[in-house]
Amino acid sequence: MSDPCSFSSFTSCVTRHLNLSLHLDFDRHVIRAKVEITVEALVDRFSSLTLDTRDLKVASVLANGQPAHFSLGPRHGFKGTPLDITLPFDISRGQHVIVTVSYETSPSASALQWLTPEQTAGKKHPYLFSQCQAHHCRSMVPCQDSPSVKHTYYAQVSVPKELVAVMSAVRDGQEVDPQDNNRIIYRFRQPVAMPSYLIAIVVGALESREIGPRSRVWSEKEYVDKAAFEFSETETMLKTAEDLAGPYVWGQYDILVLPPSFPYGGMENPCLTFATPTLLAGDKSLSNVIAHEISHSWTGNLVTNKTWEHFWLNEGHTVYLERMIGRCMESEQFRQFKAIGGWKDLQDSVNTFGANNPLTNLVPSLQDVNPDDAFSSVPYEKGFALLYYLEELLGGPEVFMGFVKSYIQLFAYSSVTTEEWKNYLFTYFKDKVDVLNKVDWNAWMFTPGMPPVKPQYDTTLADACIALTQRWIKAKDEDLSSFKESDVKALSSHQLIEFLSLLLQETPLPVTHVKAMQEAYGLNSCMNSEIRFRWLRLCVRSKWEEAVPLALKMATEQGRMKFTRPLFREVFNFEKYRDEAVRLFLAHRGAMHPVTAGLVAKDLKVEAGSKSSL
């Protein structure tokens, strides 16, 4: 078993614990650090190991306190640089050695985004956040940066005293930094073994509010009350998830709302879910992202994909659990409705990548592929579709949820491959093997494009959306006055999102129609990010020029890739405004998250070195 995304030697040794000491330098945008790595030998006469690094300045390496020889190998495109370490002694299989690396991160470390005070809500203090998934932890900590390796960690973090640090761990006290009384050291411990990609840190002018018996919400003070309202159902969701999947093992479940440049909707860092501020819609309608991140506490964090090629095991099961939470808290019809929306997102991804692109396989080969380039809704929604298809085949939601819960309990605290998952499926349903043998596994797993079977979802909640979509598609210019605000007043936010998604799958509407839609429904003033995003794409696609500045504004005032990349792409595809899209991207690139900037540059075919002409 090898990990195409890692240099580290996990056939010969495995990390059991990391002890981190981090000193954050906000002037130079670097972390001065020391990490003590407890390594267990898996072979006899063990005397050398390789760790993953990226853009790290390594000062020294010790093994049990003795100097160890080390060298950095040649740099690889996205994998970074192997750190080869030779121990001054041998150890036997089962013995431990503590490898201590003293180092400094680079100002351009891909895991870290350093924000200036102007880029924060409060405008007074700087801010730092990390995003290690998939393979960026190595730019912050030299480690075995593979999801096949799980370890506990302890950390102490020194920051200027006006700032607060939080991590993906349980808070373990704070003290004045003995080296500098203008700084505070925050301590953290993570007693549950987890993969390196879940190490996370945020430092800023943070405040928190209690939202449940084991939950707080953290953010800058400008967002904190809004966030406490938006996420008030967290404990109900946690309890629902525990009923479905078994006990929550991580102790605390806090939510941290990041500044707008955070590239994802959420990130399931243990004890501390990261969330985009684009979820703060004021109506709790976007809380499915929190249901998703809560679900990861079982599928992803407790049972983990062994390599990123098996990412669907994390995401497909998590979407399945998230929708089961929706079923318990809302209704089965609501779960079906969400599944319909997910199928559409899958069609979008397949269209974007191309139906023959091997990255649309449920289980892709990532040999020489940057996992960031492979990221899409395929592992989420093709994964969910497979699990839902199996649920229908094997006896319905209660029966299949029994399997999912059993799978979680069996593989808890370990990492798994698709093969291991499938073998257990056949074991669990041993009396239904004839049914399982009829599944076209090769088409589901290893064939690009849409799945071989489209599940028949219940369309009850979608029917109103479909009917309204059809009215707009068929409308002639003289029919436009028949559309009234009452058309959408009866729809939920979820249904309005679905209505716009359906229109995005059709030939673009004439510009007269989108203008009439604005006239009747006033969508320009809607601040729900999921609605606004689809509405602005629709307008740009119909070549309504007034929407172009609104689309570019949304693409740059927040940095969630789900929104930013398609908005830039839509404007780029509007020939007349192509240069404007590129110009605006170049003007904003410096303030964007490094991963987002890199992917938007690819989307807009901008060379890495291009400078803004502003």
Side-chain angles (χ1 to χ4, degrees), residues 436-449:
L436 288 171
N437 280 329
K438 291 200 183 84
V439 174
D440 189 343
W441 294 104
N442 187 54
W444 274 101
M445 306 264 182
F446 305 110
T447 307

Side-chain angles (χ1 to χ4, degrees), residues 11-13 40-46 91-94:
T11 44
S12 60
C13 66
E40 179 180 327
L42 300 177
V43 294
D44 277 322
R45 292 197 300 283
F46 172 77
I91 61 171
S92 308
R93 180 177 169 164

